Amino acid sequence: MNPKQTYYKTQAETIIRHLEKRRMKGYYCSSKEEALDTAMSLTASQTSVSFGGSMTLAETGILDALKSRTDIRLTDRSLAKTPEEIKQAYRDSFSVDTYFMSTNAITPDGQLVNVDGNGNRVAALIYGPDQVIVVAGMNKVTPTVEDAIRRVRNIASPPNCIRLSRQTPCAATGVCAECLGDDCICSQTVITRRSGIVHRIKVILVGEELGY
């Protein structure tokens, strides 16, 4: 194990201890392959599953694995073809057994920080699905909540806006301009400091750089 891997593991152990204090369950996986195995082990057969938009879920292979499983009922909004079907997929996601997502940032003391455009992802995190599985690379760790919000606006949002072909100042300049335009993806800021239901939220920390 090289020094960076050792650092990630040590830091993750600290975060996991704090997650437990906040009634969330933490796991550390040294690789995305291990994270995939852990994620699948937490997804029971004959249950309903959905997911929020996430580069991390794609990079770990979790999305492909979920789509290939025939023993679960998957709500996949990417299959929706009309605005009405997309809206229904969002609503159906609130009643699933397991919801997958990443987090925009996480602090060493175990707080999750997420900034959303539509709000469907953070809404599911807050309430609805029986289990929420959050998968995050260790590059998402920031010292404080304030640093986390700055990270989202200046590191995560610009490439996401480019990926989604949004006409925003950050996509054009790489710097947040506190925009309020139609294409803005920073509408809701949610800080999760505690899970109301013990271990409803499970966080898989991965010792790699994943997502934005």
Side-chain angles (χ1 to χ4, degrees):
M1 188 179 294
N2 64 41
K4 190 171 187 179
Q5 291 172 325
T6 301
Y7 165 64
Y8 277 160
K9 183 175 185 296
T10 301
Q11 189 180 46
E13 289 170 350
T14 298
I15 295 170
I16 289 169
R17 286 198 298 272
H18 287 289
L19 285 170
E20 191 65 38
K21 295 175 185 177
R22 297 178 184 279
R23 297 156 61 98
M24 292 180 269
K25 180 71 172 176
Y27 305 81
Y28 178 70
C29 299
S30 61
S31 67
K32 56 178 178 272
E33 290 80 14
E34 186 181 345
L36 172 58
D37 289 341
T38 300
M40 291 303 101
S41 72
L42 294 171
T43 310
S45 179
Q46 306 306 316
T47 58
S48 56
V49 181
S50 190
F51 56 87
S54 167
M55 290 300 296
T56 297
L57 296 181
E59 291 172 5
T60 54
I62 290 172
L63 283 189
D64 286 341
L66 290 174
K67 291 177 182 180
S68 67
R69 284 184 60 166
T70 58
D71 63 330
I72 60 172
R73 300 181 300 280
L74 183 66
T75 297
D76 182 356
R77 72 181 189 194
S78 68
L79 300 178
K81 295 180 174 58
T82 66
E84 291 74 20
E85 289 177 348
I86 293 172
K87 182 186 292 185
Q88 189 60 51
Y90 284 155
R91 289 177 173 170
D92 290 345
S93 294
F94 296 137
S95 60
V96 297
D97 297 308
T98 297
Y99 186 84
F100 278 91
M101 59 177 285
S102 187
T103 186
N104 293 128
I106 183 170
T107 60
D109 66 352
Q111 297 186 77
L112 308 179
V113 179
N114 286 282
V115 179
D116 237 16
N118 292 324
N120 60 289
R121 182 176 62 108
V122 294
L125 171 63
I126 292 169
Y127 184 83
D130 292 334
Q131 173 179 246
V132 177
I133 300 176
V134 179
V135 185
M138 292 300 291
N139 54 306
K140 300 285 188 73
V141 179
T142 60
T144 67
V145 168
E146 292 74 21
D147 290 317
I149 294 172
R150 280 191 289 270
R151 182 193 185 281
V152 177
R153 292 179 176 176
N154 293 287
I155 296 177
S157 290
N160 268 316
C161 283
I162 293 169
R163 177 176 64 89
L164 298 169
S165 300
R166 298 295 184 98
Q167 302 302 308
T168 60
C170 71
T173 67
V175 179
C176 178
E178 300 277 352
C179 75
L180 296 170
D182 292 344
D183 278 355
C184 177
I185 64 170
C186 298
S187 303
Q188 315 286 338
T189 299
V190 172
I191 300 166
T192 304
R193 61 177 297 276
R194 176 182 180 275
S195 177
I197 300 171
V198 176
H199 292 172
R200 172 181 174 266
I201 299 172
K202 297 176 175 64
V203 181
I204 301 174
L205 297 168
V206 189
E208 296 188 24
E209 295 191 1
L210 297 167
Y212 297 142

